[in-house]
Amino acid sequence: MQLVISDSSTLIHLSAVSRFGLIREYFPSILIPQAVYQEVILSGKRRAGSEEVIQAINTGMITVNGVKNTHLALSLCHELHQGEAEVIALALECDDPFLLLDDHDARCVAERFRLRFTGIIGILIRARIDKKIPSLKIELEQLRTIGRFWISDQVIHKALKAVGEE
């Protein structure tokens, strides 16, 4: 089974638009570092994603792992937020991880380390191709409005084109 490590954004925003089930379906086992747990559960108490992640931890779908190389995580905090830095540091401690990342800067750092990743839009594209959602356009609009997730018009156009909706 593929080792998947998630940042908070994917968990929070897919929960906000009632699509956390896609994460569960596509990634039945996920690691999150302590900083992501802190952001989603402790700082994000009663916000989108907190209840879903608590339930996923209780069922064993999500496991919280501490980062061993804290010096690397701290160094990455010069470029990234703590959760993203810990996701990448944790990934570098593992064999062939797959990351769930949405932040542009975090993706650039992940690419530097040759780490593989996807994010919310990639998950929704896959769900549309698999016919698990009826319209990518509607999902992206909900992400923008309900989930308050920033997506450029260019990215939306590219995503819709990928699934034949534009």
Side-chain angles (χ1 to χ4, degrees):
M1 185 182 311
Q2 176 142 39
L3 177 66
V4 177
I5 304 171
S6 184
D7 186 30
S8 58
S9 174
T10 307
L11 304 172
I12 290 169
H13 289 97
L14 282 176
S15 293
V17 294
S18 302
R19 290 296 184 189
F20 190 85
L22 293 173
I23 298 172
R24 185 176 289 111
E25 188 168 340
Y26 289 130
F27 311 105
S29 180
I30 295 174
L31 295 180
I32 60 171
Q34 193 65 42
V36 170
Y37 176 85
Q38 172 73 33
E39 183 178 348
V40 177
I41 304 299
L42 303 178
S43 300
K45 193 173 186 176
R46 297 192 184 112
R47 292 189 192 144
S50 64
E51 290 302 317
E52 292 87 345
V53 171
I54 288 170
Q55 183 181 20
I57 289 170
N58 290 340
T59 62
M61 177 196 149
I62 292 179
T63 304
V64 182
N65 268 33
V67 173
K68 293 176 187 154
N69 191 343
T70 55
H71 294 294
L72 174 60
L74 187 59
S75 175
L76 290 170
C77 283
H78 294 290
E79 299 176 72
L80 307 172
H81 294 112
Q82 188 173 352
E84 296 147 351
E86 286 191 16
V87 165
I88 290 173
L90 184 58
L92 292 170
E93 296 171 3
C94 302
D95 290 328
D96 195 32
F98 186 76
L99 310 182
L100 303 180
L101 286 173
D102 290 301
D103 180 79
H104 179 266
D105 293 339
R107 286 170 166 241
C108 289
V109 172
E111 284 175 344
R112 259 194 346 242
F113 287 109
R114 292 184 167 84
L115 296 168
R116 296 174 307 117
F117 56 84
T118 194
I120 294 170
I121 296 171
I123 293 168
L124 290 173
I125 287 172
R126 182 175 173 189
R128 179 67 178 107
I129 290 168
D130 293 346
K131 297 181 173 41
K132 296 186 185 302
I133 58 172
S135 167
L136 180 61
K137 185 174 185 171
I138 291 170
E139 298 294 330
L140 295 177
E141 287 172 3
Q142 287 181 341
L143 263 177
R144 271 183 157 174
T145 57
I146 298 168
R148 296 184 181 146
F149 184 74
W150 188 87
I151 314 167
S152 72
D153 291 337
Q154 180 182 3
V155 169
I156 287 179
H157 177 74
K158 187 177 177 181
L160 293 176
K161 189 174 182 180
V163 298
E165 285 189 32
E166 177 103 347

